[in-house]
Amino acid sequence: MIGSMIRTSLHKHLPMLFNPDPMDEISRGGKLSVAYDKMSKLGIIQKIRETNDKMMREHFEKTCGMTVSSSSSMFSMSSMMGTALIVLLLAILFSNYSGTIQNTFCA
């Protein structure tokens, strides 16, 4: 995704030197087969397949009971970090606006 954004911006600024992103060509009326071939040559398709295969394999292993889910501790850790960040941001916002709210209702 980042590579696509970089390729698009490079093509926008230097179109003579850089080809457009293959997915952008489809929206301009290009053929899907040509875009697929270009993405395959750039290595994009292989990365997507690798990610999808990993996700499908992990799902299969979990649903069939072949692995013990150890990722739940990681999920709970990321959930705790996200919750702590949200609480921290709300505390900062509340401390900034508490004087304003207090002055509005108590004046």
Side-chain angles (χ1 to χ4, degrees), residues 13-68:
H13 297 293
L14 301 168
M16 297 288 188
L17 299 175
F18 296 97
N19 292 328
D21 187 57
M23 291 302 291
D24 291 342
E25 291 179 11
I26 294 171
S27 63
R28 294 185 192 124
K31 288 188 166 188
L32 180 61
S33 59
V34 174
Y36 182 88
D37 184 51
K38 288 181 181 180
M39 289 177 14
S40 193
K41 289 177 181 172
L42 290 170
I44 297 169
I45 298 294
Q46 291 81 359
K47 291 176 188 174
I48 293 170
R49 282 187 183 151
E50 186 178 307
T51 302
N52 290 345
D53 290 344
K54 180 183 174 193
M55 289 172 38
M56 288 191 301
R57 185 179 58 252
E58 287 176 356
H59 175 72
F60 173 76
E61 290 172 350
K62 284 180 186 177
T63 56
C64 292
M66 298 176 80
T67 59
V68 179

